[in-house]
Amino acid sequence: MKIIYTDVLIIGGGLAGLRVATGVRERGNDAVVLTLVPPKRSHSAAAQGGMQASLANCKMGEGDNEDVHFSDTIKGSDWGADQIVARMFTHCAPKAIRELAHWGVPWSRVRRGDHTSIINAKKVTISEKDEAHGLITARDFGGTKKWRTCYTSDGTGHSMLYAMDNKAHEDNVEIHERLEAISLIHENGRCCGAIARNLMSGELVAYVAKATTIATGGYGRIYSVSTNAIICQGIGQAIALETGVATLGNMEAIQFHPTAIVPVGILTTEGCRGDGGLLLDKDGYRFMPDYEPDKKELASRDVVSRRMTEHMRKGKGVKSRYGDHLWLDITILGREHIEKNLREVKEICENFLGIDPAVDWIPVRPTQHYSMGGIRTKYTGESQTLKGLYSCGEAACWDMHGFNRLGGNSVSETVVSGMLVAEYISDFLDSDESDITIDTKNVEKFLKIEQDKIDTLLSKENGEDAYELRRRMEEIMMEKVGIFRNGNDLQDAVTELEELLKRSKNIEVFRSKSRASNPALENAYRTQKMIKIALTVAYGALLRTESRGAHSREDYPKRDDANWLKRTIMSWGDESDTMPTVSYEEIDISTMELPPGFRGYGKDLTQHHDNTKVRQEVVDKMKEELESKGANRFEIQNELMPFLDKLPKKYRGRNERFGEI
Ligand SMILES: Cc1cc2nc3c(=O)[nH]c(=O)nc-3n(C[C@H](O)[C@H](O)[C@H](O)COP(=O)(O)OP(=O)(O)OC[C@H]3O[C@@H](n4cnc5c(N)ncnc54)[C@H](O)[C@@H]3O)c2cc1C
């Protein structure tokens, strides 16, 4: 039996996991990172368009600050987000981006003088100030009032991840590659580490830790077509769920990105539209201004994806043997711009479509992209119900995205939440509360449970084919739990997924019975976990009889604040259960800085909560009084919804901007 002891175990070597590792190391703690792939191959490397931080350096970002970023984020979330968390995030994003610059991320910079940009299909000359020359610049993105998305060409995730990984090595973080966490060790409501499987040798290893962080990314691969890497399977969420103690939040909140290429589903960044690209239909007609006259192609992602689907349903899609699609036209930006700022998009078009996007239109269709739901945490990143378990990045429901994430807010979340959670974990480790005493016999018990499961899988005969079950699960999710949802389809999805889960208890490993380096074995034990995650998504979506953000019910088109201003919380009662257990967490309007309102897209169908009006009146009155006394924006914000006391002291300071006192 192999047991490895450490202060902090971090499951996941993407941006979020590495940022936590660096942070806890800097506070003098030991950290071990487990990862399926070398960290630089984590899915974060695929992020293209950029990272949101309200620096306000470039001309089109002028006037931006934390307040504007906060308001965009809350509106984007359709008021589903935790406003305290969103405030903590927007306050820290400028700090995180500057830290990354210091660690070597070559952010694209402002260049003094005139440059041309395409805005609303027209060439516009923009003049950058002399004094801004050399500072980090930003591009436009969907659902934002200012140009706030900072970037390194369209390889932002790549350069962030390389810098983060180098930093982790510099800080002597121990990285255990090709080690997959397959269950958590826990007793009496306390998480004590994880059981991991060496993907090369098949050996099981127990990691015992005072604090365990799950930073395993999203669960997009429960859908048949996704922009996510194939390792984004939701195993991190599943092992938390399987404790029966930790909970998942808002699993039904799934984002579809408007512009994945057809048929493979690889993303072309929102930066394409941010930089001026257009969406066209089969007649070459630009349709988005008809639906969203104000934001057009740059409405929030959920909105654009729905409008595109609506337009294709009207028969305006381009027919292809892979189904209908629309066109993304970036030819308008010119070859020089594409080769400089959208070079990954160019390579994707060349390699996967055989086209040149400087000349040809790109075939695109909305595709599964992001998981707003995840392991439900407190603002500290700790599970609300399992002590010593933390989560951050896309794996978590921290919950700054609510029911729709803004483009550029995710890589930003990974480094901001990683930076903060590392401090909260370190504080926890500094306290007596973090002490654990776990009998090695109990650790052995957890190892044995996993060993027995693998032995059963390998010895099973005449069982089910995991690949078949998984393929069917992916199809169900795509067809019945997609962009537009309805009660009948969702009920069918839940019924069939439950059936698949029952069948998954009888999986046989076909092809190879090897314990080492065996993808068929990995698929066999992951499939059941993935079906459980799919069930939490489909069941949550079935029960939520309203439309909010990316969760759009055709049979319940209104956002129903009166009944549904709450988070869906899922747990898994017992190993023998075939359905998750559901409860809800109320979102309190009476403490909101920005009470629920109209998001600004289409018709306002909101059914308001009784407390909304009351809170709005309180907020308006407080603002008026404070303004009349000459209070500045920080003082006003602090009166409306204090949050600074929740932040680690070293991150409380104000951000500096041009012209801001
Ligand atoms: C194509 C694409 C482009 C995107 N572009 C942008 C963008 O421009 N801006 C933006 O803000 N967001 C973007 N996003 C979203 C963003 O990239 C992700 O949300 C973010 O990078 C997730 O980072 P993470 O650290 O949480 O997880 P990941 O980067 O997914 O890392 C997960 C880690 O967990 C490990 N892991 C998983 N399961 C296990 C296990 N069981 N045991 C051990 N290790 C495990 C993996 O090996 C990996 O190291 C994009 C997403 C996609 C799909």
Side-chain angles (χ1 to χ4, degrees):
M1 179 177 64
K2 191 162 167 185
I3 304 184
I4 294 176
Y5 294 90
T6 180
D7 292 331
V8 188
L9 175 68
I10 297 143
I11 306 170
L15 278 171
L18 293 176
R19 185 60 190 85
V20 173
T22 288
V24 296
R25 285 291 299 140
E26 287 186 351
R27 290 272 303 262
N29 301 300
D30 285 339
V32 174
V33 171
L34 304 185
T35 169
L36 300 175
V37 291
K40 286 188 171 85
R41 295 283 169 271
S42 296
H43 169 70
S44 291
Q48 298 172 358
M51 160 172 175
Q52 283 207 38
S54 59
L55 300 180
N57 290 332
C58 64
K59 180 75 194 162
M60 300 300 282
E62 279 177 15
D64 199 12
N65 57 38
E66 303 84 359
D67 297 351
V68 190
H69 191 182
F70 169 77
S71 154
D72 286 346
T73 302
I74 298 305
K75 288 180 183 162
S77 81
D78 222 353
W79 275 272
D82 180 326
Q83 298 202 1
I84 292 276
V85 167
R87 261 295 170 192
M88 291 165 65
F89 161 72
T90 53
H91 177 83
C92 291
K95 300 175 189 349
I97 201 166
R98 289 182 173 127
E99 183 179 70
L100 285 165
H102 180 63
W103 291 341
V105 176
W107 296 108
S108 297
R109 301 278 166 166
V110 177
R111 298 178 73 136
R112 66 167 66 88
D114 291 352
H115 61 93
T116 48
S117 256
I118 307 284
I119 300 178
N120 193 19
K122 289 193 188 76
K123 266 195 183 156
V124 177
T125 302
I126 297 171
S127 304
E128 300 292 354
K129 284 185 185 149
D130 265 3
E131 58 268 38
H133 183 78
L135 298 178
I136 298 171
T137 192
R139 57 170 32 134
D140 203 4
F141 247 46
T144 63
K145 281 216 165 55
K146 302 284 175 186
W147 289 23
R148 184 187 303 126
T149 304
C150 308
Y151 58 98
T152 60
S153 181
D154 60 348
T156 311
H158 180 103
S159 46
M160 287 172 75
L161 189 61
Y162 272 56
M164 234 12 284
D165 189 37
N166 292 347
K167 177 77 175 101
H169 282 290
E170 201 179 295
D171 289 342
N172 293 320
V173 171
E174 233 182 277
I175 295 177
H176 296 188
E177 291 175 11
R178 298 197 163 82
L179 266 130
E180 176 181 7
I182 53 174
S183 73
L184 292 177
I185 304 170
H186 63 102
E187 57 178 15
N188 307 323
R190 174 74 164 95
C191 182
C192 306
I195 302 296
R197 180 172 172 273
N198 185 320
L199 294 172
M200 307 303 284
S201 66
E203 183 190 23
L204 294 190
V205 184
Y207 287 83
V208 174
K210 291 180 182 172
T212 303
T213 306
I214 297 184
T216 47
Y219 44 93
R221 283 285 159 177
I222 58 171
Y223 284 81
S224 59
V225 187
S226 168
T227 61
N228 287 194
I230 52 166
I231 54 172
C232 299
Q233 297 173 317
I235 304 304
Q237 288 88 351
I239 61 176
L241 187 70
E242 285 178 340
T243 60
V245 187
T247 57
L248 306 183
N250 285 347
M251 293 297 282
E252 67 271 31
I254 297 280
Q255 180 171 84
F256 284 73
H257 193 292
T259 58
I261 63 170
V262 177
V264 283
I266 300 174
L267 186 80
T268 57
T269 170
E270 190 158 292
C272 292
R273 284 170 289 131
D275 290 4
L278 305 175
L279 289 169
L280 308 177
D281 66 14
K282 65 171 185 176
D283 305 316
Y285 177 70
R286 185 185 175 201
F287 56 93
M288 275 309 293
D290 296 350
Y291 293 102
E292 297 298 338
D294 186 21
K295 290 294 279 182
K296 306 173 183 72
E297 281 84 357
L298 286 175
S300 232
R301 270 180 194 174
D302 56 328
V303 177
V304 180
S305 291
R306 280 196 291 276
R307 296 310 200 182
M308 289 170 74
T309 309
E310 261 178 86
H311 203 60
M312 286 190 280
R313 284 178 174 181
K314 287 180 187 162
K316 294 292 183 181
V318 184
K319 300 276 170 224
S320 87
R321 64 181 154 137
Y322 307 108
D324 288 4
H325 66 78
L326 293 159
W327 298 113
L328 171 64
D329 174 13
I330 60 168
T331 61
I332 183 172
L333 309 181
R335 185 172 295 283
E336 195 188 328
H337 181 93
I338 293 171
E339 286 180 354
K340 184 166 164 230
N341 289 316
L342 296 169
R343 58 181 104 152
E344 273 196 26
V345 169
K346 183 166 183 284
E347 281 178 14
I348 287 167
C349 289
E350 285 167 353
N351 296 333
F352 292 91
L353 294 167
I355 62 168
D356 174 359
V359 179
D360 305 304
W361 294 346
I362 310 168
V364 292
R365 186 164 58 209
T367 297
Q368 193 290 335
H369 180 63
Y370 187 80
S371 322
M372 271 80 70
I375 297 163
R376 182 71 188 121
T377 70
K378 307 174 196 168
Y379 72 84
T380 56
E382 191 177 22
S383 157
Q384 293 185 332
T385 43
L386 184 55
K387 193 172 168 179
L389 176 68
Y390 290 77
S391 182
C392 65
E394 195 173 340
C397 176
W398 187 33
D399 176 16
M400 56 161 281
H401 304 300
F403 275 75
N404 175 61
R405 155 179 90 88
L406 294 183
N409 258 358
S410 176
V411 288
S412 200
E413 179 194 15
T414 61
V415 285
V416 171
S417 63
M419 170 173 117
L420 297 179
V421 169
E423 295 300 318
Y424 299 124
I425 291 178
S426 301
D427 292 345
F428 173 63
L429 293 191
D430 286 348
S431 75
D432 295 342
E433 264 189 274
S434 68
D435 289 344
I436 45 169
T437 41
I438 178 161
D439 216 317
T440 42
K441 278 215 178 72
N442 285 349
V443 177
E444 262 175 53
K445 191 185 80 189
F446 280 94
L447 267 171
K448 186 164 180 323
I449 292 172
E450 294 311 311
Q451 193 59 66
D452 288 350
K453 282 186 194 164
I454 287 171
D455 292 346
T456 309
L457 279 171
L458 288 172
S459 60
K460 177 72 78 191
E461 281 176 10
N462 303 317
E464 296 277 358
D465 183 345
Y467 286 103
E468 236 174 62
L469 300 186
R470 185 164 151 187
R471 210 165 18 249
R472 185 61 202 139
M473 169 199 70
E474 291 170 359
E475 282 167 8
I476 295 170
M477 294 306 288
M478 207 70 201
E479 287 163 15
K480 298 181 190 285
V481 198
I483 297 177
F484 284 109
R485 301 167 172 184
N486 66 69
N488 290 340
D489 281 352
L490 290 169
Q491 183 58 65
D492 286 352
V494 170
T495 308
E496 207 185 332
L497 287 169
E498 189 182 6
E499 195 49 41
L500 290 182
L501 182 63
K502 288 178 188 160
R503 287 172 60 191
S504 76
K505 296 186 192 261
N506 191 31
I507 283 175
E508 169 183 355
V509 183
F510 292 97
R511 296 168 193 94
S512 163
K513 301 281 183 195
S514 166
R515 282 174 191 276
S517 295
N518 185 354
L521 173 60
E522 287 154 27
N523 185 55
Y525 62 71
R526 287 178 195 166
T527 293
Q528 188 177 90
K529 289 177 161 45
M530 290 175 79
I531 298 174
K532 282 182 184 165
I533 293 301
L535 259 171
T536 62
V537 176
Y539 193 38
L542 172 66
L543 297 179
R544 186 172 282 272
T545 48
E546 65 151 359
S547 291
R548 183 179 298 275
H551 170 70
S552 180
R553 289 279 301 252
E554 290 178 290
D555 44 354
Y556 293 95
K558 286 185 184 169
R559 189 185 88 205
D560 181 359
D561 289 351
N563 295 297
W564 282 104
L565 203 56
K566 45 193 175 192
R567 281 183 199 101
T568 309
I569 302 294
M570 296 272 178
S571 58
W572 203 272
D574 191 75
E575 179 75 27
S576 61
D577 284 4
T578 55
M579 285 292 287
T581 307
V582 187
S583 60
Y584 291 96
E585 180 189 325
E586 295 292 330
I587 302 179
D588 184 8
I589 296 178
S590 70
T591 57
M592 280 185 187
E593 180 178 336
L594 192 63
F598 177 43
R599 255 178 107 195
Y601 301 116
K603 273 196 217 133
D604 185 4
L605 294 174
T606 312
Q607 189 162 331
H608 283 289
H609 192 287
D610 289 348
N611 295 350
T612 299
K613 198 162 162 258
V614 181
R615 178 63 184 167
Q616 190 62 61
E617 281 166 8
V618 172
V619 167
D620 291 344
K621 192 158 169 257
M622 275 168 90
K623 271 190 185 163
E624 203 183 300
E625 279 174 16
L626 289 161
E627 274 164 9
S628 70
K629 287 185 197 152
N632 64 29
R633 70 180 181 90
F634 300 102
E635 289 160 344
I636 295 173
Q637 192 290 317
N638 191 47
E639 285 296 315
L640 292 175
M641 191 187 72
F643 72 96
L644 283 175
D645 60 322
K646 305 224 162 18
L647 284 173
K649 276 206 180 86
K650 67 187 206 190
Y651 295 125
R652 290 184 193 167
R654 288 184 191 169
N655 298 303
E656 287 183 15
R657 290 181 193 84
F658 269 133
E660 210 179 60
I661 307 154

